[in-house]
Amino acid sequence: MDLKSIETIEKKSGFSRGEALRMAWVLAFIMGVMLYTHFNTADVPGRMMLIVAAMIGGYMALNIGANDVANNVGPAVGSQALTMVGAIIIAGIFEAAGALIAGGDVVSTIKSGIIDPSMIQDSSVFIWVMMAALLAGAVWLNFATAVGAPVSTTHSIVGGVMGAGIAAGGWGIVNWSQMAAIASSWIISPVMGGVIAAGFLMLIKHTITYKDDKIAAAKRMVPLLISLMAWSFTTYLIMKGLKKLWELSFPMALGMGFVVAIVIYLIIKPLIAKAADKIENDKNAINSLFTVPLIFAAAMLSFAHGANDVANAVGPLAAISDAITSGGIASEASIPLWVMMVGAIGIVLGLALFGPKLIRTVGSEITELNKMRAFSVAMAASITVIIASQLGLPVSSTHIAVGGIFEVGFLREYIKKSYDIMVREIMEHHKASEHEVVEAFLKDFQKASVAGKHSMLQTLKENNTATHFTKRERKNLKKVYRRELVKRSALLRIAAAWVITVPASAILAALIFYTIRGALLP
């Protein structure tokens, strides 16, 4: 068989040498976790069970890196503020730093208090509940990544804990009010994220890109916007990324963020002015001023994600480790360094091997993102979490980011549709005019600010008093060609994945636990 035939088989089967190499890295990592756990738990009774749990925890960490990290860097890659390689390097460094520096020494054994551990008396049953939950969450994340759906890893592990808990202790073991709150986040997160992202994009448009002198507007507004980002991200980082090292009240975090914002404003204002003097007076050139802020946003989001979401991988593993070593069931468990290392390395490796698929989905396959749109999404990611945490609302960072991207796309559709209607009105009023006259008017109309566009339309209507549109003609003006700037298939696929994440991982966990109980438990 020649090389060309082998390549043809690879293409038809969907399995290439690149896939084989990635699988080899995965197997090497899992084997490394096995050996690492073996040598770090030499004096622990029940070591074999802990080794199996560590391997499953490593598999979960790989899938978190493959799926969840895309939300932090996807917009920056889609807007071309970062290359794919650059995004993976930055995210990998800051995810690992967040996990190892600010991941904390103690983790909740039952994620989000979803089940009552006191209803499981036998520690061996509890260990297998956590094992089933971890494996089910990892398998579901693996499937979601394969179909290109960014889902919440927190919801995946919550569903796993719920399903395995019900299988072990019955329906009464579940905190159903907490489950209702989690279900509400399916709506709260994307709506809040979308509204805030769209609001920032409209703010940027009305204060910068819709102005005649865009450079002067950029010199005035971009330093303010970047300072606002510094304020929100500092507050977000203190509240979420550093809370296990340094716990401060919300007013203190807000105050420290404000001080940082002032310092950033004083530093960045002359730099922005200098950079703005070198660019042209158009929207595409203004985009370049948001490149550096987007890189910092990707880094800070990754750090906070590593500090918080590594618990999704190591929380159940730490619970298993604690139950094996202490023989009891605790609501909180200490995190051994070797457990945290498994989570941190797994997330980074999963991102490097399988992250690009979801990064492309988030960054470019939902809607086209430029740097201003990506900046708006990044702002929504931090501000939504801050607001929701103060209101006690459950939110998902994944749903916030993706919801922001969708809403930015729908806002673009609305703006384009409104513009098309105005152009159609101009064409209707110029029916008897020369082609050159129409082209000249449209060219001036395109360059005009928002106020200028409305003024031109008003003048046109007043000067064409003989033109009267019937009710049907006015209705047809609104039926302009709809430019679909948001991929509907992506919307349906992702929304469906969000809704079924908890029940799917719960069913998987229950099936895994029933299998374990039938085969291993007395």
Side-chain angles (χ1 to χ4, degrees), residues 144-406:
T145 303
V147 300
V151 296
S152 170
T153 54
T154 300
H155 289 181
S156 299
I157 199 64
V158 161
V161 170
M162 182 184 75
I166 290 172
W171 294 93
I173 199 172
V174 178
N175 183 344
W176 291 107
S177 62
Q178 186 70 12
M179 273 305 305
I182 289 171
S184 70
S185 74
W186 301 338
I187 298 173
I188 294 170
S189 300
V191 169
M192 284 186 68
V195 168
I196 292 174
F200 267 99
L201 184 57
M202 285 302 295
L203 176 66
I204 292 171
K205 285 181 175 293
H206 280 280
T207 57
I208 300 176
T209 61
Y210 287 166
K211 299 292 185 181
D212 292 327
D213 190 347
K214 296 177 178 58
I215 291 178
K219 287 181 180 179
R220 182 175 62 256
M221 285 304 301
V222 173
L224 289 172
L225 289 169
I226 294 175
S227 299
L228 185 58
M229 170 181 267
W231 190 3
S232 67
F233 268 83
T234 302
T235 306
Y236 172 80
L237 200 61
I238 292 171
M239 291 175 58
K240 295 295 178 183
L242 300 174
K243 64 180 180 181
K244 295 173 184 175
L245 291 179
W246 188 24
E247 190 168 349
L248 292 176
S249 65
F250 175 66
M252 283 293 293
L254 204 63
M256 291 184 67
F258 184 70
V259 172
V260 171
I262 293 174
V263 173
I264 293 295
Y265 179 82
L266 296 174
I267 294 172
I268 205 74
K269 187 174 175 60
L271 297 177
I272 292 295
K274 186 177 180 180
D277 287 334
K278 298 178 181 179
I279 61 176
E280 297 180 6
N281 187 41
D282 62 64
K283 183 173 68 176
N284 292 331
I286 299 297
N287 260 298
S288 64
L289 300 177
F290 291 89
T291 300
V292 175
L294 279 174
I295 295 172
F296 275 96
M300 294 302 99
L301 286 171
S302 296
F303 183 90
H305 181 270
N308 283 289
D309 282 35
V310 71
N312 292 328
V314 304
L317 178 55
I320 293 167
S321 174
D322 186 73
I324 289 174
T325 55
S326 68
I329 302 171
S331 60
E332 289 187 338
S334 61
I335 307 177
L337 179 61
W338 70 267
V339 170
M340 189 61 81
M341 288 293 294
V342 168
I345 296 172
I347 288 175
V348 174
L349 189 61
L351 168 66
L353 295 177
F354 304 103
K357 181 174 183 176
L358 264 294
I359 290 174
R360 279 189 287 268
T361 297
V362 172
S364 58
E365 293 180 8
I366 295 174
T367 191
E368 182 183 344
L369 291 175
N370 60 20
K371 295 180 179 67
M372 286 182 281
R373 296 167 200 150
F375 178 88
S376 301
V377 173
M379 289 297 296
S382 60
I383 292 176
T384 303
V385 171
I386 293 170
I387 294 173
S389 64
Q390 294 311 299
L391 296 177
L393 299 173
V395 290
S396 162
S397 59
T398 299
H399 295 184
I400 291 167
V402 177
I405 293 169
F406 274 117

Side-chain angles (χ1 to χ4, degrees), residues 66-96:
N67 192 291
D68 212 27
V69 180
N71 307 304
N72 303 326
V73 297
V77 173
S79 65
Q80 298 181 357
L82 279 171
T83 63
M84 182 68 75
V85 173
I88 289 173
I89 292 172
I90 288 175
I93 291 171
F94 282 89
E95 284 280 340

Side-chain angles (χ1 to χ4, degrees), residues 53-128:
M55 292 168 69
I56 297 173
Y59 174 49
M60 178 64 168
L62 285 169
N63 284 287
I64 291 175
N67 192 291
D68 212 27
V69 180
N71 307 304
N72 303 326
V73 297
V77 173
S79 65
Q80 298 181 357
L82 279 171
T83 63
M84 182 68 75
V85 173
I88 289 173
I89 292 172
I90 288 175
I93 291 171
F94 282 89
E95 284 280 340
L100 296 174
I101 296 172
D105 299 321
V106 176
V107 69
S108 172
T109 58
I110 308 297
K111 185 65 182 174
S112 299
I114 204 66
I115 65 171
D116 182 3
S118 65
M119 295 184 68
I120 303 175
Q121 300 298 327
D122 191 340
S123 63
S124 64
V125 173
F126 176 77
I127 289 169
W128 287 114

